[in-house]
């Protein structure tokens, strides 16, 4: 088989494996629905491709997924280059998300952290600060969950080794969660 066919097969297999996460998916959706219905906001963070995925996730909430509807409160903590480099320079790269959660997060908000390895120290620090501030937490992880396994209130772990396959699965989960959130909050549109 060609690399092309093998990659497609691996991607399809990974996406199919998401069916095993339906219970966790339901819990993740409820966590965000309850946050937003109570007037809270959702913040998201991650590094590299997971930074892009966290921005994608919050864009789907704040703008829209696939139907015309009012915006939902979502903030990507990955988008302010001046802030990220200032904190990285003045404090530590490990603090770039924790400092934002501390300053922007309020009791009852939610933090979503994405990490394909599960070993992102700055995401772990953000979860620690979130817990101290009374925020709900959701983790989208890969492999075995790494050091972030068991830290969040709800976690969706894609148990494969390939970073690319994990990111593809995270994108499917993001779309599924956003569809569920907007469907429950706004009903059929």
């Amino acid at each position: 088989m060609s690399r092309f066919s093998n990659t497609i097969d691996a991607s399809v297999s990974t996406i199919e494996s998401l069916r095993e996460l339906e219970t966790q998916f339901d819990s993740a959706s409820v966590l965000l629905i309850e946050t937003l219905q109570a007037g809270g906001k959702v913040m998201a963070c991650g590094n590299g491709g997971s930074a892009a995925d966290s921005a994608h996730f919050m864009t789907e909430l704040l703008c829209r997924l696939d139907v015309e509807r009012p915006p939902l409160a979502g903030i990507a903590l990955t988008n302010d280059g001046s802030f990220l480099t200032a904190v990285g320079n003045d404090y530590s790269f490990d603090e770039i998300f924790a400092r934002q959660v501390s300053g922007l997060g309020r009791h009852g908000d939610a933090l979503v952290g994405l990490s394909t390895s599960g070993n992102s120290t700055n995401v772990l620090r953000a979860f620690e600060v979130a817990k101290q501030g009374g925020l709900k937490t959701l983790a989208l992880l890969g492999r075995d969950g790494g050091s972030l396994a068991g830290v969040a209130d709800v976690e969706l772990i894609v148990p494969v080794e390939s970073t690319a396959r994990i990111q593809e699965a995270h994108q499917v989960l993001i779309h599924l969660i956003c569809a569920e959130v907007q469907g429950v909050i706004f009903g059929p549109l």
Side-chain angles (χ1 to χ4, degrees):
M1 260 188 159
S2 68
R3 177 179 303 175
F4 180 84
S5 292
N6 286 337
T7 300
I8 290 173
D9 289 346
S11 182
V12 168
S13 176
T14 300
I15 301 306
E16 283 287 335
S17 76
L18 296 179
R19 295 181 192 281
E20 297 174 21
L21 298 178
E22 188 169 3
T23 300
Q24 295 93 321
F25 162 81
D26 290 341
S27 297
S29 298
V30 167
L31 184 147
L32 297 185
I33 290 164
E34 289 177 349
T35 297
L36 293 163
Q37 285 181 326
K41 67 184 162 297
V42 180
M43 297 176 289
C45 62
N47 298 288
S50 295
D53 288 341
S54 68
H56 176 180
F57 198 164
M58 296 304 98
T59 297
E60 303 293 21
L61 287 181
L62 189 58
C63 183
R64 66 181 178 145
L65 176 63
D66 56 2
V67 295
E68 205 53 50
R69 58 149 172 89
L72 295 166
I75 301 171
L77 302 181
T78 57
N79 291 347
D80 187 343
S82 296
F83 177 84
L84 297 173
T85 56
V87 173
N89 183 64
D90 295 350
Y91 297 95
S92 162
F93 187 72
D94 292 344
E95 297 300 314
I96 61 172
F97 303 132
R99 195 147 178 95
Q100 290 179 88
V101 171
S102 179
L104 299 172
R106 298 295 175 258
H107 182 84
D109 288 345
L111 174 66
V112 180
L114 292 86
S115 175
T116 58
S117 69
N119 292 315
S120 301
T121 303
N122 55 10
V123 175
L124 178 60
R125 282 286 301 129
F127 279 144
E128 291 169 354
V129 170
K131 293 281 189 179
Q132 293 167 0
L135 281 72
K136 301 169 197 165
T137 54
L138 167 61
L140 276 67
L141 307 171
R143 298 180 178 87
D144 64 357
S147 60
L148 287 162
V151 173
D153 296 320
V154 178
E155 58 189 20
L156 296 164
I157 300 175
V158 179
V160 299
E161 291 298 314
S162 168
T163 297
R165 303 298 76 81
I166 295 164
Q167 288 172 332
E168 291 163 359
H170 282 176
Q171 290 175 5
V172 170
L173 289 168
I174 286 166
H175 288 158
L176 287 168
I177 291 168
C178 287
E180 183 69 13
V181 168
Q182 77 180 17
V184 170
I185 292 177
F186 299 110
L189 296 171

